[in-house]
Amino acid sequence: MRVAILYSGGKDSTLSAYRILRAGHVIVALISVISHRNDSWMFHIPNVELTKVQAECMGIRWERVEVSGEKEVEVQELQSAISLMKGRLGIEALGTGAIASRYQKDRVGSICRSLGLGELSPLWGSPEDALLRELLDLRFEIYFTSVSAEGLGRDWLGSKLGESRMASLLMLKRKYGINASGEGGEYETFVCDSPLFKRRIKVLESETIWHHNSGTWEIKKFDTVEK
Amino acid sequence: MPKYKQTEEIIKLMSNKVNIRNCGTLAHVDHGKTTLSDSLLAGAGLISPKIAALALALDYVEIEQLRQMTVKAANVSLLHERNGQSYVINLVDTPGHVDFTGHVTRSLRVMDGGICVVDSVEGLMTQTETVLRQGMEEKVRPLLYINKIDRLIKELRLSPQEVENRLLKIIQDFNAMIETYADPEFKEKWKVNPNKGQVAFGSALHKWGFTLPIIAAKKMKFADIINAYTKGEIEGLQKEFPLDTAILDMVVDHIPNPVDAQKYRIPKIWKGDINSPIGQAMNNCDEKGPLVICVNKVIVDAHAGPVVTGRVFSGTIHEGETVYGLMCKTEGRVQQVSLYMGPYREITPEMAAGNIVAILGLENVRSGETLVRPADKEMMSPFEKMKYISDPVVTMAIEPKFSRDLPKLIDSLHKMAIEDPTLTVKINQETGEYLIAGMGSLHLEIALWDLKQRTGGIEITTTPPIVVYRESLTKALGPFEGKSPNKHNRLYASVAPLSEQTVKLIQDGTIYEDMDTKERARILREQASWETDEARGIWAIDSFVNMFVDATKGLQYIREIKDTLVQAFRLDVAEGPLAREPIRGMKVTMNDATVHEDPAHRGPAQIMPAIRDAIFCGFLSANPVLLEPIMKLDMKVPQDYLGGVTRIVAGKRGRIISLDQAGDVMHLISEIPVSETFDMSDELRSATAGKAFWGTEFARWSPVPQSLTAETIRKIRERKGLSPEPPKPEEFMSM
């Protein structure tokens, strides 16, 4: 199938793209949604502009869609944008990195049904520890770009997802019931390298912004380098 | 072996309810309660007269050590002959130390009468008043034993007439307390009359004692006794007037048997329906009725496991049967039923209503539990919640010198916390230290001693005792907003100080979290001027005396996050923002909320920080104060040394509450912050050449003086590794 991936640049949509490709599908585009509100219920991407660079590193076409960010309206806006793209790129299915958030998956599902598209969510229902393990085993290079949950402090921002972070996430799951994959908006990530990447992204300059109990990490300057 | 013969006799007698007495001692520390108990044990042949004599040279902890018993209340069943009849006396021994008030309270419930031990020289002191008051609350009939008569003669060299006057004064004071604290129906009935044999006099140290009827029967007068003692005829006195006879005669004659006692005690100490079959069975002390046991004590025995001690109020408990605990909500099989003989337990196949029993095999049962048969669990309402008058005020960190001893230490601390609910054991999550908190520095000292005994003397290191503070607020403010980190949940809560009446109702156990909502609302409306609607919205009442109230109306998803909110509230009040000390006396009201519809976005990691922000922002805005524990110091000191004492009190930020003169002795009551009391004993001893007697007890929580607040907070924060300055309200506001 010709699949377009709803792509945030984070670990889940990247892993989803990887799985979809390995399953024999063709990825025709990575679609990044830019919201005009930072508390959108559907789309939250601190380093959204960088998804274009990621797409280039992977050698896959990049498409952007802008939405207002208003609850429910934004879903409609996305649907009309994809509707236009469908004919232009010959899309047969949408791919998502959804794991556990019923809210997001239901809305993508409704877009697919309205537009007659298939829906591929290969990560749906996967246990959090298994997904984190897979990412580490596949040597994904993942950075925390936003955190917003009890137990995730400022020091997480800009840090790399490795064994110790994975252990901490699973500990916080036990202690505060967070979703260790970040499905409850606990954290967002940015992928600098993965098996899909032909070149990797090197962060040269970044900025951490902290507000009391949540914060973001923005990449200000970067380079792409040979692998 | 006389012991075994006695045990058999006792077991047989235990079915004869009218010949049973359940009693215990009530006293101020050092007034001779333990030596009295020893004399009674010796009289009944349970410990040898030799050991009882040895014991009197030592203080009570060492006595306990000698007998390898714990310092905590133990029960003992004694046999006493009176007028040709045999009586079983279940004697609940209650330690006299001020810091063990919790133990006394738990013992009182299973006793029908209490022997109040008063030192003839020192008279009635605060601690005596405290236990007497508690006894009255539990409908325990008090009797008076005036101890250490020898001191009046030998030390104070009073004439027989002066001795009589002194004793009369103590009896008057005692009756005045009964007038003050007893329920109206008992005020007259319970006052003691020496001519009726309701007061015993004697010397537990020298094991002689008498009541007026006893000496009258021997055609002697009070002065004859004093003359005999003055002449040094101690052995004659011991033979002619053994103390155990005087006390046990008094107990038999004036403490009601369980059948009579339960008739008036059950309706007062049990809140269930007295006309129900269970209520009637307890009322009649019916050994054929449904089983009801009220547990006053759990001791963890190294070999046998938890030993559950309690009073059988109705029915008969048999070895091998299954019982149900109304508090722990679990069933357990009774492996063994036994009665107490000093530190020993004697196995018996069954035990009937009216007695005190020890049960093995019940792992989950704690003191305060009500045990019934599983079939009766729906019909029985538990005995009211145990009330504790004091809060733990002093804490210390504790660790083994060698880490290999850690498992032993943890195991023993765990057992101690089970046995003594006034001793709090917790782990500091950040440092991994074990913290023990108690009612005073002496309580902790004794706990450490106990710990050494249990662990076989492992070496431990401790920090100096640290005072426990409370944080509170003085204004009602709000609502304040708390946003979840993901910004998808907004909670609105306001804060207010709880009214004094409300605090009192919580503290004395009148209202509590899992009681009937309507009943609680009624009490709050009638006694603390609450609005019914608000009172019905109470979600949580926390042990530090705070409340969480839901005032939202029909909000979406509020039910789904309620448990998380309540859990967060408990965590937040346990560590306030000023200095991470518990908050006391705060009401948090949930006013409004917008909650994300997706459960993944409203998990505890989102809701907990959001409600914390609202609570702490409110708390810090509402003129927060730091509260410190205040000790009451009750002292009798010769006039010549008064100046030195008042200087010490003043130098410790103390305040004199009252000062009375009784002969040459000044009776001084003062209040001193606990933080100033750690070296006080030494100072007082040296300032009074050891001639002052005093007792201390927790008085209340009081704001730290303004001038000291900032510095005190800074010190606590630094000790805890926090930044020296407490946070500002803005730091809990989200963007």
PDB file of all heavy atoms in Angstrom, chain B residues 279-299:
ATOM      1  N   GLY B 279     -26.042  -6.544  71.147  1.00  0.00           N
ATOM      2  CA  GLY B 279     -26.020  -5.520  72.189  1.00  0.00           C
ATOM      3  C   GLY B 279     -26.501  -6.108  73.508  1.00  0.00           C
ATOM      4  O   GLY B 279     -25.904  -5.892  74.567  1.00  0.00           O
ATOM      5  N   GLN B 280     -27.585  -6.878  73.445  1.00  0.00           N
ATOM      6  CA  GLN B 280     -28.120  -7.492  74.661  1.00  0.00           C
ATOM      7  C   GLN B 280     -27.150  -8.515  75.244  1.00  0.00           C
ATOM      8  O   GLN B 280     -26.962  -8.594  76.458  1.00  0.00           O
ATOM      9  CB  GLN B 280     -29.476  -8.146  74.363  1.00  0.00           C
ATOM     10  CG  GLN B 280     -30.612  -7.142  74.293  1.00  0.00           C
ATOM     11  CD  GLN B 280     -30.768  -6.364  75.594  1.00  0.00           C
ATOM     12  OE1 GLN B 280     -30.960  -6.920  76.665  1.00  0.00           O
ATOM     13  NE2 GLN B 280     -30.637  -5.033  75.518  1.00  0.00           N
ATOM     14  N   ALA B 281     -26.503  -9.289  74.357  1.00  0.00           N
ATOM     15  CA  ALA B 281     -25.556 -10.306  74.834  1.00  0.00           C
ATOM     16  C   ALA B 281     -24.399  -9.645  75.583  1.00  0.00           C
ATOM     17  O   ALA B 281     -23.965 -10.122  76.630  1.00  0.00           O
ATOM     18  CB  ALA B 281     -25.039 -11.136  73.664  1.00  0.00           C
ATOM     19  N   MET B 282     -23.910  -8.509  75.030  1.00  0.00           N
ATOM     20  CA  MET B 282     -22.801  -7.820  75.700  1.00  0.00           C
ATOM     21  C   MET B 282     -23.292  -7.195  76.992  1.00  0.00           C
ATOM     22  O   MET B 282     -22.612  -7.202  78.007  1.00  0.00           O
ATOM     23  CB  MET B 282     -22.208  -6.753  74.784  1.00  0.00           C
ATOM     24  CG  MET B 282     -21.365  -7.341  73.667  1.00  0.00           C
ATOM     25  SD  MET B 282     -20.250  -6.118  72.965  1.00  0.00           S
ATOM     26  CE  MET B 282     -21.377  -5.163  72.007  1.00  0.00           C
ATOM     27  N   ASN B 283     -24.494  -6.624  76.922  1.00  0.00           N
ATOM     28  CA  ASN B 283     -25.087  -5.999  78.088  1.00  0.00           C
ATOM     29  C   ASN B 283     -25.187  -6.996  79.245  1.00  0.00           C
ATOM     30  O   ASN B 283     -24.963  -6.659  80.393  1.00  0.00           O
ATOM     31  CB  ASN B 283     -26.476  -5.497  77.700  1.00  0.00           C
ATOM     32  CG  ASN B 283     -26.844  -4.239  78.430  1.00  0.00           C
ATOM     33  OD1 ASN B 283     -25.970  -3.427  78.690  1.00  0.00           O
ATOM     34  ND2 ASN B 283     -28.107  -4.095  78.771  1.00  0.00           N
ATOM     35  N   ASN B 284     -25.503  -8.248  78.899  1.00  0.00           N
ATOM     36  CA  ASN B 284     -25.685  -9.269  79.929  1.00  0.00           C
ATOM     37  C   ASN B 284     -24.445 -10.108  80.143  1.00  0.00           C
ATOM     38  O   ASN B 284     -24.480 -11.069  80.906  1.00  0.00           O
ATOM     39  CB  ASN B 284     -26.860 -10.176  79.540  1.00  0.00           C
ATOM     40  CG  ASN B 284     -28.145  -9.377  79.432  1.00  0.00           C
ATOM     41  OD1 ASN B 284     -28.330  -8.412  80.164  1.00  0.00           O
ATOM     42  ND2 ASN B 284     -29.005  -9.760  78.507  1.00  0.00           N
ATOM     43  N   CYS B 285     -23.368  -9.786  79.428  1.00  0.00           N
ATOM     44  CA  CYS B 285     -22.121 -10.540  79.556  1.00  0.00           C
ATOM     45  C   CYS B 285     -22.423 -12.033  79.358  1.00  0.00           C
ATOM     46  O   CYS B 285     -22.035 -12.882  80.152  1.00  0.00           O
ATOM     47  CB  CYS B 285     -21.490 -10.270  80.926  1.00  0.00           C
ATOM     48  SG  CYS B 285     -19.817 -10.882  81.100  1.00  0.00           S
ATOM     49  N   ASP B 286     -23.151 -12.336  78.294  1.00  0.00           N
ATOM     50  CA  ASP B 286     -23.695 -13.676  78.074  1.00  0.00           C
ATOM     51  C   ASP B 286     -22.663 -14.575  77.402  1.00  0.00           C
ATOM     52  O   ASP B 286     -22.315 -14.377  76.243  1.00  0.00           O
ATOM     53  CB  ASP B 286     -24.947 -13.544  77.194  1.00  0.00           C
ATOM     54  CG  ASP B 286     -25.618 -14.889  76.959  1.00  0.00           C
ATOM     55  OD1 ASP B 286     -25.097 -15.902  77.464  1.00  0.00           O
ATOM     56  OD2 ASP B 286     -26.655 -14.895  76.266  1.00  0.00           O
ATOM     57  N   GLU B 287     -22.197 -15.595  78.122  1.00  0.00           N
ATOM     58  CA  GLU B 287     -21.158 -16.457  77.536  1.00  0.00           C
ATOM     59  C   GLU B 287     -21.726 -17.351  76.434  1.00  0.00           C
ATOM     60  O   GLU B 287     -21.001 -17.962  75.683  1.00  0.00           O
ATOM     61  CB  GLU B 287     -20.475 -17.303  78.622  1.00  0.00           C
ATOM     62  CG  GLU B 287     -21.296 -18.420  79.199  1.00  0.00           C
ATOM     63  CD  GLU B 287     -22.113 -17.983  80.403  1.00  0.00           C
ATOM     64  OE1 GLU B 287     -22.326 -16.768  80.575  1.00  0.00           O
ATOM     65  OE2 GLU B 287     -22.535 -18.862  81.171  1.00  0.00           O
ATOM     66  N   LYS B 288     -23.069 -17.418  76.338  1.00  0.00           N
ATOM     67  CA  LYS B 288     -23.676 -18.223  75.268  1.00  0.00           C
ATOM     68  C   LYS B 288     -24.076 -17.343  74.087  1.00  0.00           C
ATOM     69  O   LYS B 288     -24.591 -17.831  73.094  1.00  0.00           O
ATOM     70  CB  LYS B 288     -24.892 -18.968  75.816  1.00  0.00           C
ATOM     71  CG  LYS B 288     -24.533 -19.959  76.916  1.00  0.00           C
ATOM     72  CD  LYS B 288     -25.645 -20.967  77.149  1.00  0.00           C
ATOM     73  CE  LYS B 288     -25.211 -22.054  78.114  1.00  0.00           C
ATOM     74  NZ  LYS B 288     -24.888 -21.534  79.474  1.00  0.00           N
ATOM     75  N   GLY B 289     -23.856 -16.055  74.188  1.00  0.00           N
ATOM     76  CA  GLY B 289     -24.249 -15.126  73.124  1.00  0.00           C
ATOM     77  C   GLY B 289     -23.236 -15.108  71.989  1.00  0.00           C
ATOM     78  O   GLY B 289     -22.278 -15.884  71.989  1.00  0.00           O
ATOM     79  N   PRO B 290     -23.452 -14.227  71.005  1.00  0.00           N
ATOM     80  CA  PRO B 290     -22.483 -14.100  69.903  1.00  0.00           C
ATOM     81  C   PRO B 290     -21.128 -13.633  70.449  1.00  0.00           C
ATOM     82  O   PRO B 290     -21.087 -12.847  71.390  1.00  0.00           O
ATOM     83  CB  PRO B 290     -23.091 -13.021  68.999  1.00  0.00           C
ATOM     84  CG  PRO B 290     -24.446 -12.735  69.521  1.00  0.00           C
ATOM     85  CD  PRO B 290     -24.548 -13.263  70.909  1.00  0.00           C
ATOM     86  N   LEU B 291     -20.063 -14.105  69.829  1.00  0.00           N
ATOM     87  CA  LEU B 291     -18.727 -13.763  70.316  1.00  0.00           C
ATOM     88  C   LEU B 291     -18.373 -12.297  69.995  1.00  0.00           C
ATOM     89  O   LEU B 291     -18.521 -11.860  68.851  1.00  0.00           O
ATOM     90  CB  LEU B 291     -17.684 -14.677  69.664  1.00  0.00           C
ATOM     91  CG  LEU B 291     -16.233 -14.418  70.064  1.00  0.00           C
ATOM     92  CD1 LEU B 291     -15.984 -14.836  71.498  1.00  0.00           C
ATOM     93  CD2 LEU B 291     -15.276 -15.137  69.131  1.00  0.00           C
ATOM     94  N   VAL B 292     -17.940 -11.549  70.999  1.00  0.00           N
ATOM     95  CA  VAL B 292     -17.408 -10.200  70.774  1.00  0.00           C
ATOM     96  C   VAL B 292     -16.164 -10.032  71.641  1.00  0.00           C
ATOM     97  O   VAL B 292     -16.221 -10.198  72.857  1.00  0.00           O
ATOM     98  CB  VAL B 292     -18.408  -9.089  71.153  1.00  0.00           C
ATOM     99  CG1 VAL B 292     -17.775  -7.723  70.936  1.00  0.00           C
ATOM    100  CG2 VAL B 292     -19.690  -9.204  70.348  1.00  0.00           C
ATOM    101  N   ILE B 293     -15.040  -9.724  70.988  1.00  0.00           N
ATOM    102  CA  ILE B 293     -13.807  -9.468  71.742  1.00  0.00           C
ATOM    103  C   ILE B 293     -13.278  -8.108  71.322  1.00  0.00           C
ATOM    104  O   ILE B 293     -13.179  -7.804  70.130  1.00  0.00           O
ATOM    105  CB  ILE B 293     -12.744 -10.550  71.454  1.00  0.00           C
ATOM    106  CG1 ILE B 293     -13.220 -11.906  71.978  1.00  0.00           C
ATOM    107  CG2 ILE B 293     -11.399 -10.180  72.103  1.00  0.00           C
ATOM    108  CD1 ILE B 293     -12.298 -13.054  71.653  1.00  0.00           C
ATOM    109  N   CYS B 294     -12.973  -7.274  72.301  1.00  0.00           N
ATOM    110  CA  CYS B 294     -12.370  -5.985  72.009  1.00  0.00           C
ATOM    111  C   CYS B 294     -10.880  -6.099  72.301  1.00  0.00           C
ATOM    112  O   CYS B 294     -10.468  -6.412  73.415  1.00  0.00           O
ATOM    113  CB  CYS B 294     -13.023  -4.927  72.899  1.00  0.00           C
ATOM    114  SG  CYS B 294     -12.371  -3.299  72.596  1.00  0.00           S
ATOM    115  N   VAL B 295     -10.060  -5.865  71.270  1.00  0.00           N
ATOM    116  CA  VAL B 295      -8.616  -6.082  71.399  1.00  0.00           C
ATOM    117  C   VAL B 295      -7.957  -4.814  71.938  1.00  0.00           C
ATOM    118  O   VAL B 295      -8.104  -3.743  71.357  1.00  0.00           O
ATOM    119  CB  VAL B 295      -8.000  -6.442  70.029  1.00  0.00           C
ATOM    120  CG1 VAL B 295      -6.483  -6.564  70.147  1.00  0.00           C
ATOM    121  CG2 VAL B 295      -8.610  -7.735  69.511  1.00  0.00           C
ATOM    122  N   ASN B 296      -7.233  -4.941  73.044  1.00  0.00           N
ATOM    123  CA  ASN B 296      -6.564  -3.757  73.577  1.00  0.00           C
ATOM    124  C   ASN B 296      -5.078  -3.761  73.270  1.00  0.00           C
ATOM    125  O   ASN B 296      -4.425  -2.743  73.358  1.00  0.00           O
ATOM    126  CB  ASN B 296      -6.790  -3.635  75.085  1.00  0.00           C
ATOM    127  CG  ASN B 296      -6.085  -4.719  75.870  1.00  0.00           C
ATOM    128  OD1 ASN B 296      -6.318  -5.894  75.636  1.00  0.00           O
ATOM    129  ND2 ASN B 296      -5.213  -4.328  76.778  1.00  0.00           N
ATOM    130  N   LYS B 297      -4.544  -4.913  72.882  1.00  0.00           N
ATOM    131  CA  LYS B 297      -3.092  -4.963  72.763  1.00  0.00           C
ATOM    132  C   LYS B 297      -2.660  -6.085  71.850  1.00  0.00           C
ATOM    133  O   LYS B 297      -3.235  -7.162  71.841  1.00  0.00           O
ATOM    134  CB  LYS B 297      -2.524  -5.208  74.177  1.00  0.00           C
ATOM    135  CG  LYS B 297      -1.049  -5.317  74.239  1.00  0.00           C
ATOM    136  CD  LYS B 297      -0.513  -4.288  75.211  1.00  0.00           C
ATOM    137  CE  LYS B 297       0.947  -4.059  75.000  1.00  0.00           C
ATOM    138  NZ  LYS B 297       1.210  -3.171  73.891  1.00  0.00           N
ATOM    139  N   VAL B 298      -1.616  -5.798  71.049  1.00  0.00           N
ATOM    140  CA  VAL B 298      -1.005  -6.852  70.237  1.00  0.00           C
ATOM    141  C   VAL B 298       0.492  -6.806  70.492  1.00  0.00           C
ATOM    142  O   VAL B 298       1.129  -5.770  70.311  1.00  0.00           O
ATOM    143  CB  VAL B 298      -1.280  -6.657  68.731  1.00  0.00           C
ATOM    144  CG1 VAL B 298      -0.593  -7.751  67.927  1.00  0.00           C
ATOM    145  CG2 VAL B 298      -2.774  -6.672  68.454  1.00  0.00           C
ATOM    146  N   ILE B 299       1.036  -7.898  70.952  1.00  0.00           N
ATOM    147  CA  ILE B 299       2.477  -7.980  71.159  1.00  0.00           C
ATOM    148  C   ILE B 299       3.004  -9.007  70.168  1.00  0.00           C
ATOM    149  O   ILE B 299       2.402 -10.062  69.982  1.00  0.00           O
ATOM    150  CB  ILE B 299       2.811  -8.428  72.603  1.00  0.00           C
ATOM    151  CG1 ILE B 299       2.445  -7.333  73.607  1.00  0.00           C
ATOM    152  CG2 ILE B 299       4.283  -8.781  72.733  1.00  0.00           C
ATOM    153  CD1 ILE B 299       2.704  -7.699  75.045  1.00  0.00           C
TER     154      ILE B 299
END
